[in-house]
Amino acid sequence: MSDHFIVMAKRGRMVMLTIFSLVFVALGIIILLVPFNEPMLPMVIGILAILVFGFCFLYYVKALAKREPAVMITKEGIIDNSSYIRAGLVKWEEIEAIDFLNFSGQVFLGIFTYDPELIINRSSGIKKVFNRLNKGLLPSQVNIPFKNLDCSAEELLNAIGERWDTALKEESKKE
């Protein structure tokens, strides 16, 4: 067993999400250009679409250019860089449980920490707001979209299990 198990994001999926984001930015622009009898609601929708999906587009372009690992399983813990609200390093001793969760037809690797506010307290600014919203959607503190990861569930769970067991054994030796 090597020290790190590195999982990259699926490149094709990242490209697809980049294109979808760009399409929704274009739709937002079209909505703004079309004259409506009641222009307020379409204008708000158009501006929100441009802002939200424009931000997503920039994030995905940057992620494609940087090409960093989405998830790393190390002897210290799990490093989540899978999304904008990435949790970073979640140490083994902070993790209570790990499970696959379904939400809106999508599968997430859910990481439950002993401290339910751990990730929120570690983040700041808009990431803190998004993490707080995320907490309202799923019971786990870290939610990694499995569909975006370029590995099988079995590989991921084996890597997590091996390193978590090793960390627990080393911790019990210290006590």
Side-chain angles (χ1 to χ4, degrees):
M1 172 182 82
S2 71
D3 282 351
H4 293 26
F5 179 78
I6 296 172
V7 182
M8 301 302 285
K10 288 182 181 172
R11 194 166 189 68
R13 183 145 171 88
M14 295 290 282
V15 169
M16 179 189 72
L17 291 170
T18 304
I19 292 168
F20 280 151
S21 296
L22 191 56
V23 166
F24 279 101
V25 167
L27 285 172
I29 292 169
I30 291 168
I31 289 171
L32 287 179
L33 295 176
V34 172
F36 289 93
N37 292 339
E38 292 291 325
M40 193 57 161
L41 182 62
M43 189 169 77
V44 170
I45 292 170
I47 290 170
L48 282 174
I50 292 168
L51 290 175
V52 170
F53 290 104
F55 179 72
C56 291
F57 174 76
L58 293 174
Y59 171 78
Y60 289 124
V61 166
K62 183 181 173 188
L64 281 166
K66 266 188 163 180
R67 200 70 181 128
E68 293 178 339
V71 175
M72 291 192 330
I73 315 299
T74 70
K75 63 182 181 180
E76 289 84 30
I78 299 173
I79 302 171
D80 168 35
N81 293 319
S82 64
S83 67
Y84 175 71
I85 60 170
R86 66 189 84 204
L89 174 64
V90 183
K91 296 180 180 177
W92 294 120
E93 58 267 17
E94 298 169 328
I95 298 173
E96 183 176 9
I98 298 172
D99 200 4
F100 283 105
L101 307 168
N102 283 305
F103 179 74
S104 293
Q106 189 170 351
V107 177
F108 291 87
L109 177 68
I111 301 172
F112 298 82
T113 59
Y114 289 106
D115 176 3
E117 300 289 319
L118 178 75
I119 304 306
I120 293 170
N121 292 338
R122 286 185 184 171
S123 51
S124 61
I126 194 73
K127 287 184 183 182
K128 189 172 202 138
V129 172
F130 286 147
N131 275 313
R132 198 172 299 284
L133 291 170
N134 202 28
K135 185 179 179 203
L137 298 174
L138 287 166
S140 51
Q141 287 70 54
V142 180
N143 300 297
I144 301 169
F146 182 72
K147 194 184 275 188
N148 294 354
L149 302 180
D150 199 12
C151 73
S152 72
E154 186 178 351
E155 288 175 306
L156 185 59
L157 290 176
N158 284 342
I160 289 170
E162 289 171 4
R163 286 157 187 82
W164 201 0
D165 285 345
T166 301
L168 289 174
K169 287 175 187 169
E170 287 179 15
E171 188 62 33
S172 66
K173 286 180 188 176
K174 290 178 186 175
E175 294 173 352

